[in-house]
Amino acid sequence: MGSNGYYEPLLVGQGRPELANLSSEEVEEILTTHEPLPYRWWPRLVAWESRLLWVLSWASIVVSIFNFMLSLITQMSAGHLGALELAGASVTNVGIQGLAYGIMLGMASAVQTVCGQAYGAKKYSSLGIICQKAIILHLGAAFLLSFIYWYSGAILRGIGQSASIAEQGQIFARGLLPQLYAFALNCPMQRFLQAQNIVNPLAYIAVGVFLFHILLTWVVVYVLNYGLLGAALSLSFSWWLLVIMTGLFILLSPSCKETWTGFSTQAFKGIWSYLKLTLSSAVMLCLEIWYNQGIVLISGLLPNPTISLDSISICMNYLNWDMQFMLGLSAAASIRVGNELGAGNPKVTRFSVIVVNATSILISIVFSAFVLICRTTLSKAFTSDDTVIAAVSDLTPLLAISVFLNGIQPILSGVAIGSGWQALVAYVNLSTYYIIGLPIGCVLGFKTSLGVAGIWWGMIFGVFLQTVTLIILTARTNWDKEVDKAAERLKMSADEEKLELVDNIA
């Protein structure tokens, strides 16, 4: 349909059917027929794409943020117990819990991949078996990680932390042991539901448990005075509440009637094949998560480690909060890109990439401005120590830069994942983060007077290089060729012999 046909009056608002009712194929035809696209049409098409984007992303954003804020509330309560308690909780969150967090989330990414494949192939009963396989492996990993939690004090001293910080860290880590097993159960169950596009219930559960956790932490820490151990046990209890509510939904909801058919011994068959897939899926995410956590651990080796750890941990918590929001948006970007490539719509794919990146840049500007405006208020939420407050205020400009970069980078990663570039991005992460960014941070932190700011500058440089690399890769992408590659993948997936992976796992 040409410029004088159906679409032009629709786009300029002359009483035709709602723009929201346009299909991707129709928008593809608009973008193909009208190139370059008239400026007056951009607002309507941007609104069309934005609506699809936010329908997909809102629940994922809510789940990411509120699950993360469970730990945030606990760390805030630790900060008000004292600077030493905050340092112990911070180094445990990063060095011990962060290790487990990266491994568990990395393993869980395989659940979403394989369950999504099985769901697309309409092998609904396989989803429950895959979820059970993942739970078995996650519990096995949790058992091995338990030794790290229990002997965390010796481990923290071994990597250079002071004896007083290591002692507080061990108290906190042992209180988090129940949370480790809850996390091992929750990760597979959450991905099991997301693979079926069941996201709204997860958001409601996350918000409800978060509100309960605020009350529980206040009672345990401030009313009953159970200190750092009480704060850790409160977090563990809240995570088990998440597991129980999510499990009950899976067992009782009609939405899961076809995908969850009960426990089965089939979950133990072919588990080695699934383990290999799980390990390979974990690499990219672990490289991403451990980079930021390594920066915090290194700061504990600086002179006056308590202040260094407290200040950078407070800043990192706000950076992580921003990252949780962007990861929800990144997941939606990945879905949009994957869907449109699979549908054979290269123009819509490119348009979607433009819209989601423009959206993330605008959001990042707002978040960065908020950080700069509230530089003192942010630190007071965690601590009443004037020295720590001043240190956080000095780091706030660097935090604002990181917030801006980390608002763009996850979206580009989401586009890369939707396009099937995971292996390439893993190499990019390894080179920009660990070969370049981390050594620069160590040199600036320990060989100059910059201290903790020097370590942060190294982190910024690594993220900047990764972001620039992904921008170049995305800008140079031939989306018509990506559509051809996606079509080949779909052809292979449609071949029954190529579905062997799902059959073996199921």
Side-chain angles (χ1 to χ4, degrees):
M1 298 182 186
S3 60
N4 296 319
Y6 169 76
Y7 294 120
E8 181 165 359
L10 170 63
L11 288 167
V12 298
Q14 296 179 5
R16 292 284 184 153
E18 291 293 329
L19 180 62
N21 294 329
L22 283 179
S23 66
S24 293
E25 289 73 21
E26 290 171 325
V27 174
E28 177 73 16
E29 185 176 347
I30 293 172
L31 295 173
T32 303
T33 306
H34 303 279
E35 192 172 357
L37 189 70
Y39 290 116
R40 67 184 185 278
W41 291 3
W42 274 85
R44 295 294 184 89
L45 288 176
V46 168
W48 176 83
E49 176 62 37
S50 297
R51 184 187 66 85
L52 295 176
L53 183 68
W54 286 106
V55 165
L56 288 170
S57 62
W58 83 267
S60 296
I61 291 172
V62 168
V63 172
S64 294
I65 288 177
F66 281 90
N67 283 352
F68 164 72
M69 288 180 69
L70 293 176
S71 295
L72 187 65
I73 290 296
T74 301
Q75 194 160 345
M76 290 170 77
S77 67
H80 287 283
L81 291 172
L84 186 61
E85 286 82 355
L86 176 59
S90 299
V91 76
T92 299
N93 274 334
V94 174
I96 305 300
Q97 194 178 24
L99 173 68
Y101 185 79
I103 292 173
M104 293 290 186
L105 282 184
M107 292 173 65
S109 64
V111 181
Q112 196 162 9
T113 300
V114 184
C115 279
Q117 185 180 6
Y119 191 73
K122 297 184 178 180
K123 295 178 177 291
Y124 298 127
S125 61
S126 299
L127 271 76
I129 305 299
I130 294 166
C131 182
Q132 290 172 50
K133 285 181 185 294
I135 288 174
I136 293 168
L137 293 176
H138 275 70
L139 288 175
F143 175 76
L144 296 177
L145 289 168
S146 296
F147 294 97
I148 296 177
Y149 274 64
W150 190 256
Y151 296 105
S152 56
I155 293 171
L156 293 175
R157 286 192 296 273
I159 60 175
Q161 302 299 325
S162 67
S164 57
I165 291 177
E167 181 183 359
Q168 295 299 315
Q170 178 171 282
I171 293 172
F172 193 70
R174 290 182 176 180
L176 292 178
L177 265 172
Q179 188 255 5
L180 173 63
Y181 287 89
F183 199 61
L185 293 172
N186 188 72
C187 281
M189 292 194 299
Q190 188 180 93
R191 299 319 188 273
F192 166 78
L193 291 173
Q194 288 174 336
Q196 305 170 62
N197 298 317
I198 302 174
V199 290
N200 290 359
L202 291 172
Y204 302 142
I205 291 171
V207 173
V209 171
F210 170 73
L211 295 175
F212 171 81
H213 181 66
I214 294 175
L215 177 61
L216 178 66
T217 302
W218 177 76
V219 170
V220 171
V221 177
Y222 297 103
V223 177
L224 300 178
N225 294 318
Y226 284 153
L228 194 59
L229 180 61
L233 290 173
S234 297
L235 181 60
S236 294
F237 184 87
S238 295
W239 268 96
W240 270 103
L241 189 59
L242 268 176
V243 169
I244 292 169
M245 295 180 70
T246 304
L248 287 175
F249 178 85
I250 292 173
L251 293 173
L252 303 177
S253 173
S255 303
C256 301
K257 183 174 61 176
E258 293 184 85
T259 55
W260 182 268
T261 56
F263 295 97
S264 172
T265 56
Q266 286 187 326
F268 293 94
K269 296 179 181 178
I271 201 165
W272 175 245
S273 298
Y274 186 77
L275 174 61
K276 291 188 290 185
L277 178 66
T278 296
L279 294 176
S280 63
S281 299
V283 173
M284 176 183 166
L285 191 56
C286 284
L287 288 175
E288 190 106 15
I289 292 173
W290 291 345
Y291 178 62
N292 288 348
Q293 292 164 342
I295 294 295
V296 179
L297 279 179
I298 291 171
S299 69
L301 305 179
L302 291 167
N304 198 356
T306 301
I307 301 300
S308 299
L309 266 176
D310 286 353
S311 58
I312 202 169
S313 297
I314 289 172
C315 289
M316 196 64 70
N317 269 301
Y318 284 105
L319 182 61
N320 286 337
W321 183 88
D322 170 73
M323 283 290 291
Q324 300 309 313
F325 184 97
M326 290 302 176
L327 285 174
L329 196 60
S330 173
S334 179
I335 293 169
R336 288 291 299 131
V337 169
N339 286 349
E340 297 302 343
L341 286 177
N345 298 323
K347 303 291 186 184
V348 177
T349 304
R350 181 174 177 272
F351 186 76
S352 178
V353 170
I354 293 172
V355 171
V356 70
N357 277 287
T359 302
S360 69
I361 289 172
L362 289 174
I363 294 172
S364 297
I365 291 172
V366 173
F367 284 176
S368 297
F370 173 80
V371 165
L372 290 173
I373 293 169
C374 303
R375 58 194 303 167
T376 302
T377 307
L378 294 180
S379 54
K380 287 183 178 179
F382 281 90
T383 182
S384 54
D385 189 305
D386 291 336
T387 307
V388 175
I389 292 172
V392 172
S393 183
D394 291 339
L395 287 176
T396 302
L398 300 183
L399 174 61
I401 296 173
S402 294
V403 165
F404 180 77
L405 290 175
N406 282 283
I408 303 171
Q409 177 267 330
I411 308 303
L412 293 170
S413 293
V415 172
I417 291 169
S419 304
W421 307 336
Q422 292 95 324
L424 178 60
V425 174
Y427 285 116
V428 171
N429 288 351
L430 180 63
S431 57
T432 57
Y433 287 169
Y434 295 91
I435 297 178
I436 300 175
L438 203 59
I440 288 176
C442 290
V443 170
L444 293 177
F446 292 96
K447 299 300 183 180
T448 72
S449 60
L450 290 175
V452 68
I455 293 176
W456 197 296
W457 272 116
M459 180 183 71
I460 288 175
F461 192 67
V463 175
F464 175 77
L465 285 179
Q466 193 232 26
T467 302
V468 170
T469 304
L470 292 180
I471 288 174
I472 293 171
L473 288 173
T474 305
R476 297 181 62 182
T477 297
N478 185 322
W479 294 108
D480 291 291
K481 290 184 178 179
E482 293 300 321
V483 165
D484 294 338
K485 292 178 184 178
E488 183 63 26
R489 292 189 200 104
L490 289 173
K491 181 180 178 181
M492 293 175 64
S493 296
D495 188 337
E496 286 299 322
E497 293 182 2
K498 300 298 182 181
L499 287 174
E500 184 180 358
L501 174 62
V502 175
D503 294 333
N504 287 340
I505 292 175

